[in-house]
Amino acid sequence: MTKPRIGFIGLGLMGRAMVGCLQDAGYSLTVLGNRDRTGVEEAVARGGSEAENAKALAEASDIVMLCVSTSEQVEGRIYGDDGVLAGVKEGTVVIDFGTSLPGSTQKIADDMTAKGAIYLDAPLGRTPAHAKEGKLNIMCAGDEAAYQKVKPVLDVLGENVFHLGKTGNGHTIKLINNFFAMTTAMAMSEAFAMADAAGIDRSALFDVMAAGPNRSGMMEFIRNYAVDGKVDLAFSVENGAKDVGYYGTMAGDLGRDSRMSKSTVAVLEEAKGTGDGSRMIPEMVDWMTKHLGDKA
């Protein structure tokens, strides 16, 4: 059976790892990058093709995949005379692997449906290293028949592939997940900073907290940096602020007011304001230690 032709937009660290995984599995890829051409050049060197624009990429593809950072960037690639929407055909499946606003996702899905194409939201869990090995967690939502059509490709990329129901559910669940993760990370970072202020050993604090129901993988990510100086969560403060901000926007779109996310996004935005947006989330322990004495 002939493998579908895949177009891939967004070749950052995650995207280029996914492209490499797909090429290793024998898929033909057309790619489109942005300013950093490293991923594009790697893909072309492995037999891929580079598209002139998103429209041309869509015209050459049965499945179009996007792996970019924000809803604004997704919409920038979807719309316009040279966008994906202008190039899709009847039956084209377009997949957004990023963490996007569900409202934007639904709008794009409706516009794709009008062209006879199908839009799936499929945000990711895990890291580029997992992507390279085909071991991502993939949270896919949207049309069931389209999901089944592309599932063999998703199974190449993912160890755990979920179908989560209607359009937007994938992005909604991812935003809830990231809100909870970032809130836990900020709370644990402050806990270590407060222990420092009180003259309490960080390891002693963690051992007590982790002996009960508080223990979680996110706590351990923060502990590994706070105690051992090890960063094993490669997720930036800037990305955390974006995702929690999107969560708050989503809550508003649902007619709800998120109380908890306001504190989380406030501290992440404050860290961005002090020039620390590019630091990794576990390094917020240092930021908290430095700024916990500041007046709010």
Side-chain angles (χ1 to χ4, degrees), residues 3 39 99 133 136 178 183 188 251 260 279:
K3 285 183 166 68
T99 302
E133 298 174 358
L136 291 169
N178 283 18
T183 300
M188 195 66 229
M260 295 297 294
R279 299 187 74 176

Side-chain angles (χ1 to χ4, degrees), residues 111-127:
D111 292 338
M112 288 289 172
T113 298
K115 290 285 297 283
I118 306 98
Y119 195 65
L120 302 176
D121 51 305
L124 307 171
R126 296 185 169 172
T127 68

Side-chain angles (χ1 to χ4, degrees), residues 54-289:
K55 177 184 177 183
L57 180 142
E59 289 172 341
S61 304
D62 302 306
I63 302 171
V64 176
M65 300 176 172
L66 297 100
C67 189
V68 298
S69 297
T70 68
S71 286
E72 182 180 26
Q73 290 172 354
V74 172
E75 292 187 9
R77 292 299 195 181
I78 294 292
Y79 294 110
D81 293 342
D82 293 331
V84 171
L85 188 62
V88 293
K89 308 171 292 295
E90 183 84 23
T92 302
V93 180
V94 183
I95 308 172
D96 177 11
F97 286 121
T99 302
S100 302
L101 285 164
S104 173
T105 299
Q106 186 61 61
K107 177 183 184 300
I108 295 171
D110 292 342
D111 292 338
M112 288 289 172
T113 298
K115 290 285 297 283
I118 306 98
Y119 195 65
L120 302 176
D121 51 305
L124 307 171
R126 296 185 169 172
T127 68
H130 292 105
K132 186 176 181 180
E133 298 174 358
K135 293 183 178 179
L136 291 169
N137 292 334
I138 303 177
M139 297 160 254
C140 189
D143 182 79
E144 173 75 26
Y147 167 75
Q148 293 298 338
K149 179 180 177 181
V150 301
K151 190 172 186 297
V153 182
L154 298 180
D155 285 338
V156 170
L157 295 167
E159 181 176 31
N160 301 298
V161 181
F162 305 92
H163 186 253
L164 301 171
K166 69 181 188 299
T167 300
N169 280 7
H171 283 146
T172 298
I173 290 172
K174 180 67 184 294
L175 289 176
I176 294 171
N177 178 82
N178 283 18
F179 147 72
F180 187 83
M182 293 300 99
T183 300
T184 301
M186 294 307 99
M188 195 66 229
S189 295
E190 180 172 314
F192 280 126
M194 197 65 73
D196 289 350
I200 293 171
D201 180 75
R202 290 179 176 183
S203 291
L205 172 72
F206 181 82
D207 289 346
V208 170
M209 293 180 68
N214 286 326
R215 187 164 197 153
S216 70
M218 185 56 68
M219 277 183 64
E220 292 180 1
F221 282 139
I222 306 305
R223 178 262 171 214
N224 290 347
Y225 180 75
V227 176
D228 297 332
K230 178 182 178 184
V231 177
D232 48 10
L233 175 63
F235 192 70
S236 72
V237 168
E238 185 173 25
N239 281 334
K242 185 270 287 187
D243 286 0
V244 182
Y246 275 9
Y247 172 85
T249 299
M250 178 190 76
D253 290 344
L254 293 170
R256 300 294 186 268
D257 180 31
S258 169
R259 292 160 175 79
M260 295 297 294
S261 69
K262 291 174 183 176
S263 293
T264 303
V265 78
V267 72
L268 289 165
E269 290 290 348
E270 188 180 355
K272 283 175 58 183
T274 58
D276 295 299
S278 62
R279 299 187 74 176
M280 298 297 108
I281 287 296
E283 296 178 282
M284 282 298 291
V285 173
D286 295 338
W287 190 92
M288 287 284 192
T289 301

Side-chain angles (χ1 to χ4, degrees), residues 40-53:
V40 172
E41 291 168 359
E42 288 176 358
V44 171
R46 292 164 59 94
S49 302
E50 181 179 6
E52 180 182 358
N53 53 46

Side-chain angles (χ1 to χ4, degrees), residues 10-28:
L11 280 79
L13 292 177
M14 181 66 82
R16 73 183 63 163
M18 295 171 73
V19 165
C21 180
L22 290 167
Q23 289 183 311
D24 285 344
Y27 286 92
S28 173

